[in-house]
Amino acid sequence: MTKPIRLAVIGMGKIACDQHLPSIAGTQKFELVATVSRDGKPSVDGVQCVRSIEELADSGIGIDAVSICTPPQVRHDIAQFAIEQGWHTMLEKPPGATLAEVIALRDAAKAAGVTLFATWHSRYAAMVEPARAWLRGREIRRAKITWREDVRVWHPGQEWIWQPGGFGVFDPGINALSIITRILPEPLFVTKSQLFFPGNQAAPIAAEVSMRDRKGVPVEMDLDFRQEGPQHWDIDVETDAGTLSLSHGGAKLSIAGVENRSEENAMEGEYPGLYKRFAALVWASVSDVDVSPLRLVADAFLCGRITMVEDFIE
Amino acid sequence: MTKPIRLAVIGMGKIACDQHLPSIAGTQKFELVATVSRDGKPSVDGVQCVRSIEELADSGIGIDAVSICTPPQVRHDIAQFAIEQGWHTMLEKPPGATLAEVIALRDAAKAAGVTLFATWHSRYAAMVEPARAWLRGREIRRAKITWREDVRVWHPGQEWIWQPGGFGVFDPGINALSIITRILPEPLFVTKSQLFFPGNQAAPIAAEVSMRDRKGVPVEMDLDFRQEGPQHWDIDVETDAGTLSLSHGGAKLSIAGVENRSEENAMEGEYPGLYKRFAALVWASVSDVDVSPLRLVADAFLCGRITMVEDFIE
């Protein structure tokens, strides 16, 4: 049995506590040796907590890898520091606030000989791989992404999401993009984008984005943070063999109206899947940095037409 | 002597007539065999003009390569069609309206075995290579880009520049980015961006962008389309051996206040330089697609804070 990878988790916010810690506790592949939190408050009994990555480096704790769960705006400098220590580095999504900083990290990791894993947790939702497998060889006619959630329910107090580099509604929307870029056979690009900004915020609260692939297959994306009542995280793909519907963010799959309950290719859960993959990357000494979902978001901003809408007050 | 490359120029607007046609006329490496213009009006005596790239393909004219000078918003589909014909393809800057479409073209060209050249004409300004050579080995402390021009003088009637994908003031600003990414040794990324949109336009009229490299060297960029009086296309780089100043868009160089009039490394002119390079790429069967200037623009939009300013009426 290989020795567990000694891991520190950095940025003990909602996603770290809800998802990362339970997944790490559930695997033998990692040993949690430290948490890093600005407030210095321990998150796990018996696991040392420090206030910064510099303090972590000075602490004498033996570290092989870090998992960075901070907001995207501060992720680059922490990751760059980690890479300089020779630590394998896993990044929550999105991997950064800009594309160029992620490319710079990728190059730095390569030069340092450490693993960099830019994660897209939604790609590890149970039915994403079965959807991908079913779509192979089908003629794809069009696709529709509907990602509408109530920001007050799902992002309480996350002020960073409204700041530049927080992406607003594209913070969940990039999850949909990480799925669609995984399941469709051809790369997509943005042809039209409408961005709806609350007058008092620096990031969009809703967006309508038209994409297509080079064969002309249209993909429409409807993102909205103002959704009350039923919430939607759905992708529908029309093919020559009927419509494939991924719902619940990739957890459920139906084909031509029939729910697929097969376990074949199904994943064991998003974050357990991420950590399994991270361990495999570390052991193989390779990186996995796919910027295509972030590139589509950048493109949606680059060619976006902006409309100002009602102020958003949480 | 190698046979000249049979070339068609597509999109006979200002840049094609002012720059491309004279450069093509001045080299033996290319033979202009057709122009493509929606209005069907010939641009060069004795050279056939057609209305579309489809008509060009049907015309029976022997074509080896095309140079695409249309506005960026329509460039992808024309380029994709050209690549499918097996024609080597040169793209005016910016290479597209989005990053992902340029990546798709790069991959399509590779698969088709044709040369794709995403040009950045400002990199061929006379003093860019001397500046790059001088900066090697210097300690770089900071840099400042000042790119202020009167849009009414330099972009008369160019409505596309105000449309999504036209980039507004980043259309000239990307020239500065193409130079700075060439002359500085380390890649840059955006840390802060302010975008000023006229209330009646879909693209910014001014911008203030802060960048840095991974060593922390700051690069500030000041872009403004509202400049009257003296115009500025300047890059100043502070080093341990004094300040290097590139002015006039890269045509003039001074170091520590002394103008460099040396011919060493100087280029023969922007567009002649581009066509010389395109011929060399075609003969070597390789592509040159550097998206880094466009990526920085996309990042400036992605993390940009938007301010609405006075309407712009040409």
PDB file of all heavy atoms in Angstrom, chain B residues 275-296:
ATOM      1  N   TYR B 275       4.255  39.835 -44.068  1.00  0.00           N
ATOM      2  CA  TYR B 275       4.182  38.980 -45.266  1.00  0.00           C
ATOM      3  C   TYR B 275       5.451  38.142 -45.449  1.00  0.00           C
ATOM      4  O   TYR B 275       5.390  37.003 -45.900  1.00  0.00           O
ATOM      5  CB  TYR B 275       3.817  39.807 -46.504  1.00  0.00           C
ATOM      6  CG  TYR B 275       2.319  40.026 -46.556  1.00  0.00           C
ATOM      7  CD1 TYR B 275       1.745  41.199 -46.066  1.00  0.00           C
ATOM      8  CD2 TYR B 275       1.467  39.036 -47.029  1.00  0.00           C
ATOM      9  CE1 TYR B 275       0.368  41.374 -46.054  1.00  0.00           C
ATOM     10  CE2 TYR B 275       0.088  39.203 -47.029  1.00  0.00           C
ATOM     11  CZ  TYR B 275      -0.456  40.372 -46.541  1.00  0.00           C
ATOM     12  OH  TYR B 275      -1.818  40.526 -46.530  1.00  0.00           O
ATOM     13  N   LYS B 276       6.587  38.712 -45.071  1.00  0.00           N
ATOM     14  CA  LYS B 276       7.825  37.939 -45.107  1.00  0.00           C
ATOM     15  C   LYS B 276       7.723  36.725 -44.175  1.00  0.00           C
ATOM     16  O   LYS B 276       8.072  35.599 -44.525  1.00  0.00           O
ATOM     17  CB  LYS B 276       8.970  38.860 -44.661  1.00  0.00           C
ATOM     18  CG  LYS B 276      10.354  38.298 -44.861  1.00  0.00           C
ATOM     19  CD  LYS B 276      11.378  39.378 -44.533  1.00  0.00           C
ATOM     20  CE  LYS B 276      12.773  38.771 -44.395  1.00  0.00           C
ATOM     21  NZ  LYS B 276      13.752  39.789 -43.970  1.00  0.00           N
ATOM     22  N   ARG B 277       7.178  36.993 -42.990  1.00  0.00           N
ATOM     23  CA  ARG B 277       7.005  35.918 -42.002  1.00  0.00           C
ATOM     24  C   ARG B 277       5.990  34.882 -42.493  1.00  0.00           C
ATOM     25  O   ARG B 277       6.192  33.680 -42.323  1.00  0.00           O
ATOM     26  CB  ARG B 277       6.541  36.531 -40.676  1.00  0.00           C
ATOM     27  CG  ARG B 277       6.080  35.555 -39.622  1.00  0.00           C
ATOM     28  CD  ARG B 277       7.189  35.103 -38.731  1.00  0.00           C
ATOM     29  NE  ARG B 277       6.688  34.260 -37.646  1.00  0.00           N
ATOM     30  CZ  ARG B 277       7.310  33.190 -37.196  1.00  0.00           C
ATOM     31  NH1 ARG B 277       8.482  32.835 -37.703  1.00  0.00           N
ATOM     32  NH2 ARG B 277       6.806  32.478 -36.222  1.00  0.00           N
ATOM     33  N   PHE B 278       4.892  35.342 -43.080  1.00  0.00           N
ATOM     34  CA  PHE B 278       3.858  34.416 -43.566  1.00  0.00           C
ATOM     35  C   PHE B 278       4.459  33.491 -44.622  1.00  0.00           C
ATOM     36  O   PHE B 278       4.257  32.264 -44.578  1.00  0.00           O
ATOM     37  CB  PHE B 278       2.669  35.200 -44.134  1.00  0.00           C
ATOM     38  CG  PHE B 278       1.475  34.368 -44.523  1.00  0.00           C
ATOM     39  CD1 PHE B 278       1.105  33.236 -43.790  1.00  0.00           C
ATOM     40  CD2 PHE B 278       0.694  34.722 -45.618  1.00  0.00           C
ATOM     41  CE1 PHE B 278      -0.020  32.481 -44.145  1.00  0.00           C
ATOM     42  CE2 PHE B 278      -0.423  33.977 -45.983  1.00  0.00           C
ATOM     43  CZ  PHE B 278      -0.774  32.856 -45.249  1.00  0.00           C
ATOM     44  N   ALA B 279       5.244  34.058 -45.550  1.00  0.00           N
ATOM     45  CA  ALA B 279       5.879  33.227 -46.586  1.00  0.00           C
ATOM     46  C   ALA B 279       6.801  32.180 -45.940  1.00  0.00           C
ATOM     47  O   ALA B 279       6.786  30.998 -46.316  1.00  0.00           O
ATOM     48  CB  ALA B 279       6.665  34.107 -47.553  1.00  0.00           C
ATOM     49  N   ALA B 280       7.559  32.611 -44.940  1.00  0.00           N
ATOM     50  CA  ALA B 280       8.489  31.677 -44.279  1.00  0.00           C
ATOM     51  C   ALA B 280       7.718  30.555 -43.575  1.00  0.00           C
ATOM     52  O   ALA B 280       8.122  29.394 -43.606  1.00  0.00           O
ATOM     53  CB  ALA B 280       9.361  32.439 -43.275  1.00  0.00           C
ATOM     54  N   LEU B 281       6.590  30.897 -42.946  1.00  0.00           N
ATOM     55  CA  LEU B 281       5.771  29.879 -42.269  1.00  0.00           C
ATOM     56  C   LEU B 281       5.205  28.879 -43.284  1.00  0.00           C
ATOM     57  O   LEU B 281       5.218  27.668 -43.048  1.00  0.00           O
ATOM     58  CB  LEU B 281       4.621  30.540 -41.497  1.00  0.00           C
ATOM     59  CG  LEU B 281       4.999  31.386 -40.282  1.00  0.00           C
ATOM     60  CD1 LEU B 281       3.781  32.192 -39.804  1.00  0.00           C
ATOM     61  CD2 LEU B 281       5.535  30.514 -39.143  1.00  0.00           C
ATOM     62  N   VAL B 282       4.696  29.402 -44.404  1.00  0.00           N
ATOM     63  CA  VAL B 282       4.130  28.526 -45.439  1.00  0.00           C
ATOM     64  C   VAL B 282       5.200  27.575 -45.962  1.00  0.00           C
ATOM     65  O   VAL B 282       4.982  26.365 -46.060  1.00  0.00           O
ATOM     66  CB  VAL B 282       3.511  29.364 -46.582  1.00  0.00           C
ATOM     67  CG1 VAL B 282       3.185  28.485 -47.785  1.00  0.00           C
ATOM     68  CG2 VAL B 282       2.263  30.097 -46.093  1.00  0.00           C
ATOM     69  N   TRP B 283       6.377  28.125 -46.270  1.00  0.00           N
ATOM     70  CA  TRP B 283       7.444  27.287 -46.813  1.00  0.00           C
ATOM     71  C   TRP B 283       7.916  26.254 -45.799  1.00  0.00           C
ATOM     72  O   TRP B 283       8.320  25.151 -46.161  1.00  0.00           O
ATOM     73  CB  TRP B 283       8.611  28.161 -47.301  1.00  0.00           C
ATOM     74  CG  TRP B 283       8.246  28.940 -48.543  1.00  0.00           C
ATOM     75  CD1 TRP B 283       7.336  28.575 -49.506  1.00  0.00           C
ATOM     76  CD2 TRP B 283       8.759  30.206 -48.956  1.00  0.00           C
ATOM     77  NE1 TRP B 283       7.244  29.542 -50.478  1.00  0.00           N
ATOM     78  CE2 TRP B 283       8.116  30.559 -50.173  1.00  0.00           C
ATOM     79  CE3 TRP B 283       9.707  31.096 -48.430  1.00  0.00           C
ATOM     80  CZ2 TRP B 283       8.386  31.746 -50.864  1.00  0.00           C
ATOM     81  CZ3 TRP B 283       9.978  32.273 -49.113  1.00  0.00           C
ATOM     82  CH2 TRP B 283       9.323  32.587 -50.320  1.00  0.00           C
ATOM     83  N   ALA B 284       7.858  26.590 -44.533  1.00  0.00           N
ATOM     84  CA  ALA B 284       8.297  25.646 -43.494  1.00  0.00           C
ATOM     85  C   ALA B 284       7.157  24.746 -43.021  1.00  0.00           C
ATOM     86  O   ALA B 284       7.364  23.870 -42.173  1.00  0.00           O
ATOM     87  CB  ALA B 284       8.877  26.415 -42.306  1.00  0.00           C
ATOM     88  N   SER B 285       5.932  24.971 -43.575  1.00  0.00           N
ATOM     89  CA  SER B 285       4.758  24.173 -43.159  1.00  0.00           C
ATOM     90  C   SER B 285       4.513  24.205 -41.651  1.00  0.00           C
ATOM     91  O   SER B 285       4.273  23.164 -41.032  1.00  0.00           O
ATOM     92  CB  SER B 285       4.885  22.712 -43.613  1.00  0.00           C
ATOM     93  OG  SER B 285       4.866  22.647 -45.007  1.00  0.00           O
ATOM     94  N   VAL B 286       4.593  25.394 -41.070  1.00  0.00           N
ATOM     95  CA  VAL B 286       4.286  25.530 -39.645  1.00  0.00           C
ATOM     96  C   VAL B 286       3.297  26.675 -39.438  1.00  0.00           C
ATOM     97  O   VAL B 286       3.106  27.508 -40.328  1.00  0.00           O
ATOM     98  CB  VAL B 286       5.547  25.767 -38.779  1.00  0.00           C
ATOM     99  CG1 VAL B 286       6.431  24.533 -38.774  1.00  0.00           C
ATOM    100  CG2 VAL B 286       6.326  26.988 -39.269  1.00  0.00           C
ATOM    101  N   SER B 287       2.673  26.707 -38.270  1.00  0.00           N
ATOM    102  CA  SER B 287       1.738  27.768 -37.914  1.00  0.00           C
ATOM    103  C   SER B 287       2.339  28.659 -36.830  1.00  0.00           C
ATOM    104  O   SER B 287       3.312  28.272 -36.170  1.00  0.00           O
ATOM    105  CB  SER B 287       0.418  27.172 -37.414  1.00  0.00           C
ATOM    106  OG  SER B 287      -0.324  26.649 -38.496  1.00  0.00           O
ATOM    107  N   ASP B 288       1.764  29.832 -36.664  1.00  0.00           N
ATOM    108  CA  ASP B 288       2.163  30.746 -35.596  1.00  0.00           C
ATOM    109  C   ASP B 288       0.880  31.379 -35.046  1.00  0.00           C
ATOM    110  O   ASP B 288       0.308  32.262 -35.674  1.00  0.00           O
ATOM    111  CB  ASP B 288       3.112  31.811 -36.156  1.00  0.00           C
ATOM    112  CG  ASP B 288       3.526  32.865 -35.113  1.00  0.00           C
ATOM    113  OD1 ASP B 288       2.977  32.843 -33.993  1.00  0.00           O
ATOM    114  OD2 ASP B 288       4.380  33.707 -35.431  1.00  0.00           O
ATOM    115  N   VAL B 289       0.418  30.838 -33.931  1.00  0.00           N
ATOM    116  CA  VAL B 289      -0.833  31.315 -33.331  1.00  0.00           C
ATOM    117  C   VAL B 289      -0.559  31.592 -31.855  1.00  0.00           C
ATOM    118  O   VAL B 289      -0.619  30.692 -31.024  1.00  0.00           O
ATOM    119  CB  VAL B 289      -1.968  30.281 -33.486  1.00  0.00           C
ATOM    120  CG1 VAL B 289      -3.269  30.833 -32.897  1.00  0.00           C
ATOM    121  CG2 VAL B 289      -2.173  29.899 -34.945  1.00  0.00           C
ATOM    122  N   ASP B 290      -0.225  32.813 -31.546  1.00  0.00           N
ATOM    123  CA  ASP B 290       0.011  33.212 -30.155  1.00  0.00           C
ATOM    124  C   ASP B 290      -1.201  34.013 -29.689  1.00  0.00           C
ATOM    125  O   ASP B 290      -1.429  35.129 -30.144  1.00  0.00           O
ATOM    126  CB  ASP B 290       1.274  34.067 -30.071  1.00  0.00           C
ATOM    127  CG  ASP B 290       1.509  34.597 -28.657  1.00  0.00           C
ATOM    128  OD1 ASP B 290       0.812  34.160 -27.718  1.00  0.00           O
ATOM    129  OD2 ASP B 290       2.390  35.468 -28.490  1.00  0.00           O
ATOM    130  N   VAL B 291      -1.988  33.426 -28.790  1.00  0.00           N
ATOM    131  CA  VAL B 291      -3.202  34.119 -28.342  1.00  0.00           C
ATOM    132  C   VAL B 291      -2.965  35.002 -27.118  1.00  0.00           C
ATOM    133  O   VAL B 291      -3.913  35.614 -26.614  1.00  0.00           O
ATOM    134  CB  VAL B 291      -4.368  33.134 -28.029  1.00  0.00           C
ATOM    135  CG1 VAL B 291      -4.766  32.370 -29.271  1.00  0.00           C
ATOM    136  CG2 VAL B 291      -4.044  32.219 -26.871  1.00  0.00           C
ATOM    137  N   SER B 292      -1.724  35.115 -26.646  1.00  0.00           N
ATOM    138  CA  SER B 292      -1.536  35.792 -25.349  1.00  0.00           C
ATOM    139  C   SER B 292      -2.047  37.241 -25.321  1.00  0.00           C
ATOM    140  O   SER B 292      -2.638  37.650 -24.310  1.00  0.00           O
ATOM    141  CB  SER B 292      -0.093  35.679 -24.862  1.00  0.00           C
ATOM    142  OG  SER B 292       0.801  36.303 -25.746  1.00  0.00           O
ATOM    143  N   PRO B 293      -1.916  38.057 -26.380  1.00  0.00           N
ATOM    144  CA  PRO B 293      -2.507  39.415 -26.279  1.00  0.00           C
ATOM    145  C   PRO B 293      -4.029  39.363 -26.155  1.00  0.00           C
ATOM    146  O   PRO B 293      -4.618  40.104 -25.352  1.00  0.00           O
ATOM    147  CB  PRO B 293      -2.070  40.084 -27.599  1.00  0.00           C
ATOM    148  CG  PRO B 293      -0.836  39.322 -28.033  1.00  0.00           C
ATOM    149  CD  PRO B 293      -1.113  37.899 -27.622  1.00  0.00           C
ATOM    150  N   LEU B 294      -4.664  38.480 -26.923  1.00  0.00           N
ATOM    151  CA  LEU B 294      -6.124  38.368 -26.859  1.00  0.00           C
ATOM    152  C   LEU B 294      -6.573  37.828 -25.502  1.00  0.00           C
ATOM    153  O   LEU B 294      -7.597  38.239 -24.949  1.00  0.00           O
ATOM    154  CB  LEU B 294      -6.617  37.454 -28.000  1.00  0.00           C
ATOM    155  CG  LEU B 294      -8.124  37.254 -28.108  1.00  0.00           C
ATOM    156  CD1 LEU B 294      -8.877  38.570 -28.261  1.00  0.00           C
ATOM    157  CD2 LEU B 294      -8.449  36.326 -29.288  1.00  0.00           C
ATOM    158  N   ARG B 295      -5.781  36.918 -24.932  1.00  0.00           N
ATOM    159  CA  ARG B 295      -6.126  36.369 -23.616  1.00  0.00           C
ATOM    160  C   ARG B 295      -6.114  37.463 -22.551  1.00  0.00           C
ATOM    161  O   ARG B 295      -6.962  37.489 -21.658  1.00  0.00           O
ATOM    162  CB  ARG B 295      -5.162  35.242 -23.269  1.00  0.00           C
ATOM    163  CG  ARG B 295      -5.591  34.395 -22.102  1.00  0.00           C
ATOM    164  CD  ARG B 295      -4.882  33.056 -22.112  1.00  0.00           C
ATOM    165  NE  ARG B 295      -3.445  33.230 -22.158  1.00  0.00           N
ATOM    166  CZ  ARG B 295      -2.596  32.374 -22.729  1.00  0.00           C
ATOM    167  NH1 ARG B 295      -3.030  31.261 -23.292  1.00  0.00           N
ATOM    168  NH2 ARG B 295      -1.296  32.606 -22.746  1.00  0.00           N
ATOM    169  N   LEU B 296      -5.149  38.374 -22.644  1.00  0.00           N
ATOM    170  CA  LEU B 296      -5.109  39.474 -21.674  1.00  0.00           C
ATOM    171  C   LEU B 296      -6.318  40.397 -21.829  1.00  0.00           C
ATOM    172  O   LEU B 296      -6.856  40.894 -20.839  1.00  0.00           O
ATOM    173  CB  LEU B 296      -3.802  40.267 -21.819  1.00  0.00           C
ATOM    174  CG  LEU B 296      -2.555  39.527 -21.329  1.00  0.00           C
ATOM    175  CD1 LEU B 296      -1.295  40.289 -21.726  1.00  0.00           C
ATOM    176  CD2 LEU B 296      -2.595  39.320 -19.809  1.00  0.00           C
TER     177      LEU B 296
END
